[in-house]
Amino acid sequence: MERLWWHDAVIYHVYPRSFLDTDGDGVGDLPGVRRRLPYLARLGVDALWLSPFFASPMADFGYDVSDHTAVDPLFGSLADFDELLDAAHGHGLRVLIDYVPNHTSDRHRWFRDARADPAGPRRDWYVWRDPSPGGGPPNNWITLFGDSAWTREEAGGQYYLHSFLPSMPDLNWRNPAVQEAMFDVARFWLDRGVDGFRVDCAPLIAKDPLLRDNPPAATGTSAHHRDLGGFDSQLHLHDQGHPDLHPRYRDLRALLDSYGEPGERIALGEVHEYDWPAWSRYFGRDLDELNLPINFGLLGTDWHPEAIRTTVRAILDAVPAGAVVTWVMGSHDDPRVASRVGPAQAANAMLLLLTLPGTAILYNGDELGMPDAAVPPERIRDPWGLRTPALSRDHARSPMPWSPDSPSCGFTATGVEPWLPVTTPPGGTVRDQEADPSSLLSLTRDLLALRRAGAALHGAGLAFLDSPPGVLAYTRSPGPGSPPGAGGDLLVTLNLTDRAVPLDHLLTPRPSGGPWRRVFTTARTRDAAHTGQGALAPAEGAVWSAGDGGGPHRT
Ligand code: NOJ
């Protein structure tokens, strides 16, 4: 298979509102992202994905787009975007931007037209229905926030569909004019030079054409990686994931592939599907749909070796031959990984993310070990958090702490209050961590260098090893078929406990080979170094090189 840039890329996810504020309004902006490109280049990532910066009333912080081809003044201008894109490319960084096909803002011109003229051509760009025969919404579909997905228009009495807020009406992709208009949006950004898109809510663009009710879900079950409250009261059989989405993603892929060499511009897809064979269908039968459907499997997996092994194996088993898998540990929608696994394990979470085969998405701040921010009730901004505080996503969106010497930790140059409270991780701000070789930031940079340096971490080969309790161990090799211990193999060992663990037979050299050499460790303090060669310090993650041929015992 020809290697393309995204086959083993590390994509850094920037949440622009929270990255760096250069104009003193308390909200991050595009010039702020540009100013921090040297930081990202030093870190060693391959690409950025920018969450939405388009014109928007910000009811859902930019996922409610009112003009797809304008930059919201909060974030800057189109010229700022062009400068950012050029500068990123100058640093060798690719740029992916968010693409939100399922819905628009109700202030979008398309919806205003649809609303104003029920007989007009734009009406059918959205999903309108009469009330059900007994009155009330046309069916039982609910939003992510747990209430009805239908809102009734006073004028005319019809309902329109919205999978999220009432101010975010769903587009009707069954109308070919919608696809055409949204593909024009894609062309607009591709013509400017973006390297691709992160497709928001990829499964949602095709729903049951008969709009059948969703069946109830058994109580206490979540088909997601975390409990989503009211949303989990139904099985979402009919309001997403209809097979009619496949031709649309084939068309999108053809559009992307028509720019330059096929495979240069890509679609990364947000796919919250936890049935792995069903998830894998988003690659397309001939790998001709989404290049990289994201799997969110690790986010809902307990931090135990057996649970991680089971998830990773199930996902890798479902990936079609020739396809590339994409891993995430955190996002602007999820609890922070450092809080989920605990600060002592944050480095291991990074080690896992960056040593699994395929592509990784690194959410801004996770390289610092950012914990969930404490957001007092009066500072909650997330529309979901305003309804259900326990599900608020604000805690994962707190501003990047750049330096220790100002109340906003360098996020905003002025004395203005950042849009969300600032949190400093245990290892300190970026400036502190850059100066500290044992910080998570330094570890992440070293890991990214290790990832670039050897064939093993680029390859698809992964074999889990029989390991002592509490330890996750696997080898990585250039190809799935290459035998363990063959040239260039690496052994990855993660101690998920807070005790030192001897590695015993894992490190036993075969008669023909030399010993495994520790080429990377997360334990860089003097205490940890005392643990010795044949053991892992508490919470230590290490990478070992096969050296001159020593091999581990495989299960
Ligand atoms: C997924 C996005 O990641 C999330 O932040 C947003 O609320 C929904 N899609 C709606 O666009």
Side-chain angles (χ1 to χ4, degrees):
M1 175 173 60
E2 188 202 349
R3 283 221 84 68
L4 295 168
W5 70 266
W6 44 274
H7 283 183
D8 53 14
V10 177
I11 300 170
Y12 187 90
H13 173 191
V14 174
Y15 193 65
R17 286 186 77 83
S18 301
F19 207 58
L20 180 68
D21 170 25
T22 60
D23 60 0
D25 60 3
V27 173
D29 42 50
L30 295 179
V33 181
R34 182 160 62 97
R35 200 177 292 173
R36 289 294 181 253
L37 290 174
Y39 165 74
L40 298 177
R42 263 195 321 277
L43 186 58
V45 296
D46 303 288
L48 317 183
W49 144 36
L50 298 166
S51 275
F53 49 82
F54 316 110
S56 164
M58 303 290 162
D60 191 22
F61 295 112
Y63 283 95
D64 49 326
V65 181
S66 55
D67 184 346
H68 295 96
T69 57
V71 171
D72 196 281
L74 200 58
F75 294 115
S77 64
L78 207 46
D80 290 327
F81 178 77
D82 290 340
E83 281 174 32
L84 166 58
L85 186 61
D86 270 5
H89 285 161
H91 281 285
L93 296 165
R94 311 270 178 160
V95 178
L96 308 177
I97 64 171
D98 233 290
Y99 180 73
V100 188
N102 177 66
H103 43 267
T104 67
S105 161
D106 62 350
R107 309 224 197 128
H108 197 292
R109 188 168 38 91
W110 302 342
F111 191 71
R112 287 181 200 260
D113 290 351
R115 190 170 231 175
D117 185 1
R122 288 259 166 80
R123 181 72 167 186
D124 184 51
W125 285 33
Y126 294 85
V127 184
W128 298 89
R129 287 292 183 280
D130 291 331
S132 66
N139 67 19
N140 74 349
W141 294 356
I142 50 179
T143 71
L144 183 67
F145 310 114
D147 32 30
S148 172
W150 297 92
T151 289
R152 183 169 178 272
E153 277 281 276
E154 282 314 320
Q158 277 203 313
Y159 284 82
Y160 66 86
L161 179 66
H162 50 88
S163 298
F164 296 91
L165 298 171
S167 62
M168 296 161 72
D170 282 20
L171 284 163
N172 173 21
W173 277 72
R174 296 194 177 276
N175 183 329
V178 167
Q179 174 162 326
E180 232 357 87
M182 281 306 295
F183 279 20
D184 281 345
V185 170
R187 285 186 197 100
F188 176 87
W189 293 106
L190 291 167
D191 288 340
R192 296 196 101 75
V194 302
D195 298 286
F197 301 108
R198 174 268 193 186
V199 181
D200 187 67
C201 302
L204 264 66
I205 63 164
K207 303 166 175 102
D208 178 28
L210 302 176
L211 302 182
R212 279 171 290 193
D213 277 356
N214 279 328
T219 45
T221 58
S222 175
H224 279 74
H225 57 290
R226 64 181 179 130
D227 184 349
L228 296 181
F231 188 73
D232 290 333
S233 66
Q234 297 183 351
L235 290 178
H236 293 273
L237 280 192
H238 296 309
D239 54 355
Q240 52 179 281
H242 190 275
D244 287 348
L245 54 79
H246 295 293
R248 287 170 198 142
Y249 287 127
R250 276 200 289 279
D251 291 349
L252 179 65
R253 178 67 170 269
L255 173 65
L256 290 161
D257 283 346
S258 71
Y259 278 78
E261 289 294 309
E264 273 299 301
R265 318 274 185 119
I266 62 161
L268 176 74
E270 185 199 20
V271 179
H272 281 288
E273 171 60 71
Y274 297 82
D275 172 62
W276 304 120
W279 161 80
S280 76
R281 284 183 212 124
Y282 288 81
F283 287 105
R285 200 174 301 144
D286 297 317
L287 304 188
D288 53 356
E289 297 181 29
L290 300 178
N291 307 67
L292 298 172
I294 303 172
N295 86 74
F296 291 87
L298 289 172
L299 287 170
T301 299
D302 288 343
W303 201 240
H304 294 298
E306 195 44 55
I308 297 171
R309 264 197 297 266
T310 305
T311 297
V312 171
R313 269 204 187 116
I315 292 167
L316 291 179
D317 285 349
V319 176
V324 175
V325 60
T326 305
W327 306 96
V328 291
M329 277 289 185
S331 83
H332 63 302
D333 292 330
D334 295 288
R336 282 281 187 183
V337 60
S339 292
R340 195 165 62 77
V341 302
Q345 288 291 329
N348 275 336
M350 187 62 79
L351 178 54
L352 178 66
L353 177 69
L354 297 182
T355 57
L356 288 173
T359 296
I361 300 179
L362 201 173
Y363 178 51
N364 60 197
D366 283 350
E367 76 277 24
L368 305 173
M370 283 283 279
D372 284 337
V375 181
E378 69 282 5
R379 297 225 31 204
I380 292 181
R381 295 288 176 272
D382 176 24
W384 202 0
L386 291 170
R387 283 169 175 69
T388 317
L391 295 176
S392 178
R393 299 169 293 181
D394 290 327
H395 48 243
R397 298 175 177 180
S398 66
M400 281 287 282
W402 293 102
S403 57
D405 43 20
S406 75
S408 75
C409 288
F411 169 69
T412 173
T414 62
V416 94
E417 180 134 55
W419 77 286
L420 282 177
V422 174
T423 296
T424 316
T429 64
V430 169
R431 199 202 286 163
D432 304 317
Q433 296 205 26
E434 280 199 319
D436 173 3
S438 67
S439 68
L440 183 54
L441 178 57
S442 298
L443 291 174
T444 304
R445 200 172 40 215
D446 293 352
L447 259 177
L448 286 164
L450 182 74
R451 183 177 164 110
R452 267 196 310 279
L457 293 179
H458 297 185
L462 179 144
F464 284 110
L465 307 176
D466 191 13
S467 48
V471 172
L472 178 69
Y474 48 94
T475 51
R476 294 283 285 109
S477 54
S482 40
D489 258 20
L490 292 177
L491 165 65
V492 182
T493 53
L494 306 171
N495 181 357
L496 305 190
T497 76
D498 55 9
R499 310 174 305 276
V501 181
L503 286 177
D504 307 329
H505 71 285
L506 263 180
L507 299 175
T508 310
R510 286 178 304 171
S512 59
W516 286 91
R517 240 175 348 106
R518 194 175 333 218
V519 291
F520 174 88
T521 174
T522 63
R524 294 184 171 185
T525 59
R526 217 155 3 109
D527 289 355
H530 288 154
T531 307
Q533 168 65 14
L536 291 175
E540 179 184 1
V543 181
W544 312 73
S545 162
D548 48 350
H553 297 256
R554 194 184 201 178
T555 50

